[in-house]
Amino acid sequence: MATKKITFDPEAGVAYPCDLIMNVGADFSATFNVVDTSNTGFNFSTTNSVGVGTTTGWTGSSQMTKSTAIGSTAFPAATFTVGIDTTASSGYGLTISLGSTDTRSVKAGRYVYDILVGSGATVYRIVDGNIQVRGGVSS
């Protein structure tokens, strides 16, 4: 999958919208190069140019589910592995991924997902959107 460039503004309180496509039975990954509102790489290793963060770094989590409706008892269809790149030469970014064994157990259809990042006790929803999961003839 192509890398997406996203702007992270912690003060806005709004996640960057990004729709994705996943194939059943195939390895999946999506990479996001993250910049701040001044188009500077968002440093996930320390306090950064917009003044958020801690010297202990950042953590991330991400899941996809069929529904986020109020009162829904939907369980996550999958939990992504989240990688946080803290090196400036790589462009400061996030990667979410699932192996082919995990995608094989996801049924074709439309899902919603989000990516959360945290620094200390503060958690931000940085990206959210839909994932279209496509079944294959040979999966």
Side-chain angles (χ1 to χ4, degrees):
M1 164 163 236
T3 300
K4 309 271 187 190
K5 181 179 177 184
I6 65 169
T7 302
F8 177 39
D9 181 3
E11 294 183 15
V14 177
Y16 189 90
C18 184
D19 294 341
L20 303 172
I21 296 173
M22 175 189 299
N23 293 310
V24 172
D27 288 336
F28 170 81
S29 71
T31 301
F32 303 89
N33 283 344
V34 183
V35 298
D36 62 22
T37 54
S38 63
N39 205 29
T40 301
F42 192 91
N43 188 341
F44 285 104
S45 61
T46 61
T47 302
N48 49 62
S49 59
V50 293
V52 298
T54 65
T55 56
T56 59
W58 291 74
T59 59
S61 65
S62 181
Q63 295 180 334
M64 62 185 270
T65 187
K66 269 295 203 189
S67 175
T68 59
I70 295 173
S72 170
T73 58
F75 294 99
T79 299
F80 296 101
T81 298
V82 178
I84 298 176
D85 188 348
T86 59
T87 57
S89 62
S90 300
Y92 297 126
L94 298 169
T95 300
I96 60 172
S97 61
L98 282 175
S100 60
T101 302
D102 295 318
T103 63
R104 203 169 289 123
S105 64
V106 179
K107 293 180 180 174
R110 184 169 303 278
Y111 294 79
V112 292
Y113 81 102
D114 61 12
I115 304 172
L116 305 177
V117 293
S119 176
T122 306
V123 176
Y124 303 93
R125 178 177 290 135
I126 190 168
V127 179
D128 65 12
N130 295 303
I131 296 181
Q132 179 65 43
V133 177
R134 300 187 301 192
V137 175
S138 301
S139 61

